[in-house]
Amino acid sequence: MKIDSPEAYIESLRALERRIYLLGERAENPVDHPMIRPAINAMAETYNLGDEPEAGELLFAQSHLTGERISRFTHIHQSADDLVNKVLMQRLLGQRTSTCFQRCVGMDGINALYSVTYECDQEHGTEYHERFKEYLRYIQEENLVVDGAMTDVKGDRGLRPGEQSDPDLFVRVSERRPDGIVLRGAKVHQTGALNSHEILVMPTTAMRENEADYAVSCAVPATAEGITFVLGRQPSDTRKLEGSPLDVGNPTYGSQEAMIIFDDVFVPWERVFMCGEFDQSGKVVERFAAYHRQSYGGCKVGVGDVLIGAAQLAAFYQGVDRVSHVRDKITEMVHLNETLFSCGIACSSRGKATSSGCYLVDVMLANVCKHNVTRFPFEISRLLQDIAGGLVVTMPSQKDFENPEIAPYLEKYLKGSSDVPVMDRIRVLKFIENMTMGCGAAAYLTESIHGAGSPQAQRIMILRQANLEEKVKLAKRLAGIED
Ligand code: SF4
Ligand code: FE
């Protein structure tokens, strides 16, 4: 493993020369930019063995290609236990960072493509799988971060990719050359894009025969010519520029979404894993989505653990931790959070091997998992805000607490429990503000709704997997209705 520590990872990013824009300007030094660095710190935790006794077992796996010890984020799941360990790892990292640590998208992308390239070769006589394995070896040996790039900008949602007035609204092959392909289009909501070494492009939907140019999957380095990144904004993000970490709430860690523009990017054939096999594109989307819907039963649960802790702390600091309705609300938060975890574990435990040997989660249960994630974190946040109280949105700033003229008044009048330092109370409330309506909410709430597909995408899959005919038969038999 070439990159073997958080520090080595951060240094590796410094070496990447990329076109990155934020707030209308080119970021020449993204690694030290205060609006980018917290997301890098969160990603760096995936390289950190940490203090938790179980971390080593969860963060690493044995490569089925080389037998070497590799990061689980670069691993192809070889068993249902691997799938379970993935969820446990994600819960652990969610607990450490209380945000999106971004690296799972690439992990889910490589696992989806592993089985689909295998099946594509069987069906079409192509040679994608060996190529893909070569690429995987490289990723595993170097221990790189891969950005899984699926979501296209999509233009008019009522029109198919091939029907848009502008053909570039879905990423496509704009030219086929003897040595490779040329890629044009844009991907949005790209989690961890600025913190990735590689970009793994996948189709965003099932393509049809006349949309073969859109059935493309390939890998490009983040430094490839023609790529531009534009950082997406988050609520209260410029607080990170104020030099007042208290007001940021979770100053060390953050999440990141960016737009990636491919302006005629050349990709050599060695890095092309699908080009025109439109019948395979839907499978990539479904499998990637299933893996990422499983993922949310880990990462968001870890964040939920932190939020439950914050609720308990706020209640204690304000002298209400023994009040029965507060205890009941915390019980409800735990119940919701553990329900999500149950779904994550269930879809993993029932995972099955694909013909490639790579294990796939139970697709129905993974969709149920993510569908609950589109709801429960909102209820957990509501209960958290209920317990925290209105001060969450009326607190003065760090700079007020530092001003000797007013600080003594603030400390006197904002005190909660007499034996708790007032600034501890403020700290936890600032954290809750961030997690429920600041930058932290982008990762915990908006991602919970739309990440890995918006709620309707899961409902479609749930109904498709439901086998209603079988259920009708069950009812008929017991009700004595003739078939
Ligand atoms: Fe990983 Fe969760 Fe972020 Fe997806 S949302 S990349 S699963 S931490
Ligand atoms: Fe996500």
Side-chain angles (χ1 to χ4, degrees):
M1 262 184 298
K2 209 161 171 193
I3 303 176
D4 59 0
S5 68
E7 296 74 26
Y9 161 66
I10 291 168
E11 282 315 302
S12 74
L13 289 182
R14 288 189 196 285
L16 304 181
E17 281 201 23
R18 296 162 296 168
R19 263 166 69 88
I20 296 176
Y21 286 85
L22 74 155
L23 301 179
E25 283 174 14
R26 182 132 180 211
E28 300 297 346
N29 175 12
V31 174
D32 297 313
H33 196 290
M35 278 171 65
I36 299 177
R37 186 54 180 263
I40 294 178
N41 292 341
M43 181 80 89
E45 287 297 330
T46 69
Y47 288 91
N48 187 2
L49 207 49
D51 306 324
E52 305 89 345
E54 71 275 33
E57 208 179 296
L58 299 179
L59 289 174
F60 297 96
Q62 191 185 21
S63 168
H64 74 296
L65 296 175
T66 63
E68 297 290 322
R69 187 172 136 94
I70 54 164
S71 165
R72 187 172 297 284
F73 285 96
T74 67
H75 182 52
I76 299 298
H77 314 299
Q78 298 297 303
S79 64
D81 274 353
D82 265 350
L83 291 169
V84 169
N85 281 336
K86 172 194 162 188
V87 170
L88 297 177
M89 168 181 78
Q90 289 166 316
R91 184 170 187 171
L92 180 96
L93 290 174
Q95 291 171 344
R96 263 195 212 166
T97 60
S98 196
T99 187
C100 163
F101 37 89
Q102 310 142 56
R103 205 174 169 189
C104 328
V105 197
M107 167 174 56
D108 294 338
I110 59 171
N111 275 277
L113 275 173
Y114 190 87
S115 60
V116 177
T117 52
Y118 182 89
E119 289 165 31
C120 181
D121 288 359
Q122 303 287 309
E123 291 166 39
H124 292 277
T126 46
E127 291 169 356
Y128 293 127
H129 191 62
E130 280 310 310
R131 231 184 243 178
F132 188 69
K133 276 171 39 182
E134 264 318 297
Y135 176 64
L136 206 54
R137 264 187 211 105
Y138 164 65
I139 296 301
Q140 292 184 345
E141 274 160 24
E142 305 280 318
N143 198 6
L144 299 178
V145 174
V146 178
D147 169 71
M150 178 161 279
T151 309
D152 284 326
V153 291
K154 297 194 190 102
D156 184 333
R157 274 30 173 201
L159 299 175
R160 299 272 320 158
E163 298 167 347
Q164 301 286 335
S165 56
D166 179 345
D168 301 338
L169 294 177
F170 286 72
V171 170
R172 68 184 177 109
V173 178
S174 61
E175 194 187 335
R176 283 176 169 77
R177 294 189 195 164
D179 51 347
I181 59 172
V182 177
L183 209 59
R184 191 187 297 167
K187 295 282 187 185
V188 272
H189 325 311
Q190 290 307 297
T191 299
L194 310 186
N195 308 334
S196 302
H197 306 101
E198 288 279 317
I199 301 165
L200 185 63
V201 173
M202 293 170 279
T204 201
T205 187
M207 299 299 171
R208 296 178 183 166
E209 194 166 358
N210 66 337
E211 295 161 343
D213 284 345
Y214 298 99
V216 57
S217 189
C218 59
V220 283
T223 51
E225 211 184 314
I227 294 184
T228 303
F229 300 91
V230 187
L231 182 71
R233 295 210 64 174
Q234 293 174 335
S236 307
D237 52 4
T238 45
R239 286 192 188 190
K240 292 173 186 166
L241 304 175
E242 291 173 5
S244 301
L246 177 72
D247 291 342
V248 179
N250 182 6
T252 309
Y253 299 112
S255 64
Q256 174 185 93
E257 256 80 31
M259 182 172 183
I260 308 179
I261 299 159
F262 299 90
D263 191 5
D264 285 340
V265 175
F266 174 72
V267 190
W269 285 116
E270 304 90 85
R271 292 288 188 259
V272 177
F273 313 123
M274 174 191 298
C275 185
E277 294 81 8
F278 62 91
D279 59 325
Q280 305 293 312
S281 52
K283 254 195 299 192
V284 176
V285 180
E286 260 184 43
R287 290 190 194 171
F288 170 81
Y291 284 126
H292 210 55
R293 289 169 194 174
Q294 165 210 26
S295 288
Y296 278 49
C299 74
K300 299 302 177 223
V301 178
V303 177
D305 288 328
V306 183
L307 298 191
I308 292 163
Q312 178 67 24
L313 257 185
F316 174 68
Y317 288 172
Q318 299 177 152
V320 293
D321 58 310
R322 315 255 13 122
V323 173
S324 68
H325 76 86
V326 171
R327 288 176 71 78
D328 191 53
K329 282 167 186 150
I330 289 179
T331 307
E332 178 66 8
M333 292 168 82
V334 174
H335 166 70
L336 293 169
N337 204 42
E338 297 300 334
T339 304
L340 299 180
F341 184 56
S342 310
C343 294
I345 293 297
C347 69
S348 306
S349 309
R350 291 187 58 83
K352 297 251 168 6
T354 59
S355 54
S356 68
C358 169
Y359 268 64
L360 177 64
V361 290
D362 181 294
V363 174
M364 167 65 111
L365 296 184
N367 276 279
V368 170
C369 177
K370 172 66 211 319
H371 205 49
N372 281 335
V373 173
T374 66
R375 300 170 178 173
F376 296 179
F378 286 84
E379 181 61 6
I380 290 171
S381 299
R382 189 185 72 78
L383 292 166
L384 176 58
Q385 285 204 353
D386 184 350
I387 291 169
L391 195 57
V392 161
V393 288
T394 60
M395 275 174 292
S397 69
Q398 174 174 342
K399 291 196 166 70
D400 292 315
F401 286 103
E402 288 166 353
N403 181 331
E405 287 166 29
I406 49 172
Y409 291 113
L410 299 181
E411 285 177 19
K412 175 180 163 76
Y413 290 114
L414 293 178
K415 190 138 180 85
S417 236
S418 61
D419 47 0
V420 173
V422 63
M423 290 316 288
D424 283 357
R425 177 186 184 211
I426 299 298
R427 261 188 202 97
V428 79
L429 294 181
K430 291 275 189 190
F431 177 78
I432 293 169
E433 177 197 24
N434 171 272
M435 289 306 303
T436 57
M437 62 193 104
C439 286
Y444 186 58
L445 296 177
T446 312
E447 248 199 301
S448 285
I449 278 238
H450 294 295
S454 308
Q456 192 57 26
Q458 290 111 57
R459 297 182 83 84
I460 291 168
M461 284 305 290
I462 287 170
L463 189 61
R464 208 183 278 170
Q465 301 272 323
N467 199 352
L468 286 185
E469 263 176 49
E470 197 46 45
K471 294 184 200 314
V472 165
K473 270 194 210 150
L474 297 174
K476 274 184 167 176
R477 188 172 71 83
L478 291 175
I481 299 170
E482 295 275 313
D483 217 7

